[in-house]
Amino acid sequence: MHGTRPVTATMFYNAGHRVQSGAFKTMRRGRIDPSPFSSSDGRVAVKQLRANTSSSVASGSAVQPNEPVTERIAQLVTDVLATLWADALLQAVYDFIHAYEAEHHAPCPLEIPRFRYVRTGLAVTNIPDARPGDKVVYLVEELIDPEVDGEWRKYMNNNTARHRFADSETSDSQNFKRGEFLTFCQHFQYCHTGAQAFTTDFQGGKSLLSDPQIITDPCLGRELFSKGNLASTHRDFQWDHVCNDYCKYFELPDCGEL
């Protein structure tokens, strides 16, 4: 983060539109000019921390907590870093697949979905003479366009190793394949890190993912990667995970052996 240079840009969003609300953040669609992300038209998801009050939760408002601006930045930086770590862990999966295919001189007969995580960053209002406490902090991400990447869908929650399209009889076949692949990704990451970490809370479109949760061994500390880093998800993984065709083809070891 020390090597990141801040840039000045103008961000637009309609404050009158009803926000979309998650467990910890709200989201509006917006635009940034100039675009901070390469190969982007400037459309972004504009996210803010939610106030942890019953009235704000019920209304879906975008009211931020009353913490100092440094605290708000620290909380959202955790989300930015989670996306960077998730992208690195995902790239490790594709590197492994490429190396396995090269070693065996044959491509995988199973369809390999191509995912990546959205590019992300922080935006802080820069109003002349504003007091530090008046600054507003936003998490900005590439917008997942439903016309390009399909409607947003949740592949997997952060409290389980079972994807949500596991019933192949009633699920869309492509979502089922993507869910199976992401389950395999977890298995690989669990093995690759020596059972220390893996990604969950997979969500997004057909190829773009956002808002990941990194699950880590509780021995590494309780404050890693925000409140969604559930110790129970890590503890139960070796029993909750169900190997599928990807796990078997790539000869991943049994989770209980680690």
Side-chain angles (χ1 to χ4, degrees):
M1 298 295 286
H2 293 293
T4 301
R5 293 185 177 183
V7 297
T8 300
T10 303
M11 185 168 72
F12 307 88
Y13 66 85
N14 189 335
H17 285 176
R18 182 174 176 81
V19 297
Q20 300 178 38
S21 299
F24 304 112
K25 296 187 295 293
T26 62
M27 190 277 279
R28 290 186 176 97
R29 295 186 180 194
R31 186 179 294 273
I32 294 182
D33 183 30
S35 173
F37 308 121
S38 60
S39 68
S40 169
D41 61 2
R43 291 185 298 165
V44 292
V46 181
K47 300 183 177 181
Q48 292 177 267
L49 293 170
R50 284 183 65 170
N52 188 22
T53 64
S54 57
S55 59
S56 64
V57 171
S59 65
S61 67
V63 178
Q64 290 202 27
N66 293 320
E67 292 96 350
V69 65
T70 52
E71 177 62 25
R72 283 177 266 152
I73 290 174
Q75 291 182 57
L76 291 176
V77 161
T78 299
D79 287 352
V80 173
L81 293 178
T83 300
L84 295 177
W85 274 101
D87 199 54
L89 286 167
L90 182 61
Q91 186 57 52
V93 175
Y94 288 119
D95 290 344
F96 166 74
I97 291 173
H98 179 74
Y100 188 96
E101 291 177 332
E103 180 182 352
H104 291 80
H105 306 288
C108 176
L110 304 171
E111 180 181 348
I112 304 295
R114 300 301 304 186
F115 285 109
R116 74 168 176 85
Y117 279 91
V118 295
R119 297 175 180 89
T120 183
L122 292 185
V124 182
T125 53
N126 185 23
I127 301 173
D129 301 322
R131 295 174 300 177
D134 293 335
K135 289 182 178 291
V136 183
V137 185
Y138 303 92
L139 176 69
V140 292
E141 298 176 344
E142 285 181 277
L143 185 66
I144 299 178
D145 187 346
E147 295 184 4
V148 176
D149 218 45
E151 292 296 330
W152 179 95
R153 80 290 315 263
K154 172 87 78 168
Y155 290 104
M156 190 183 301
N157 293 318
N158 68 328
N159 61 350
T160 179
R162 311 289 180 95
H163 68 84
R164 300 182 68 196
F165 301 96
D167 186 353
S168 59
E169 296 299 323
T170 59
S171 298
D172 174 84
S173 61
Q174 289 302 312
N175 281 330
F176 173 76
K177 291 177 183 177
R178 297 184 194 108
E180 292 284 276
F181 178 76
L182 293 171
T183 299
F184 153 76
C185 289
Q186 283 191 328
H187 187 170
F188 169 79
Q189 293 166 0
Y190 186 83
C191 298
H192 183 63
T193 62
Q196 292 188 88
F198 57 90
T199 308
T200 190
D201 219 11
F202 292 110
Q203 55 193 305
K206 296 183 293 186
S207 61
L208 285 178
L209 300 173
S210 69
D211 289 312
Q213 176 62 59
I214 308 296
I215 299 294
T216 57
D217 188 326
C219 294
L220 299 178
R222 298 181 59 186
E223 300 302 321
L224 290 176
F225 300 113
S226 76
K227 299 176 182 177
N229 184 4
L230 303 179
S232 59
T233 303
H234 182 275
R235 182 192 65 228
D236 297 340
F237 181 78
Q238 59 181 301
W239 297 284
D240 198 24
H241 170 79
V242 177
C243 283
N244 56 45
D245 290 342
Y246 292 100
C247 304
K248 296 170 185 175
Y249 177 82
F250 288 106
E251 303 177 287
L252 296 185
D254 186 276
C255 298
E257 297 175 0
L258 299 178

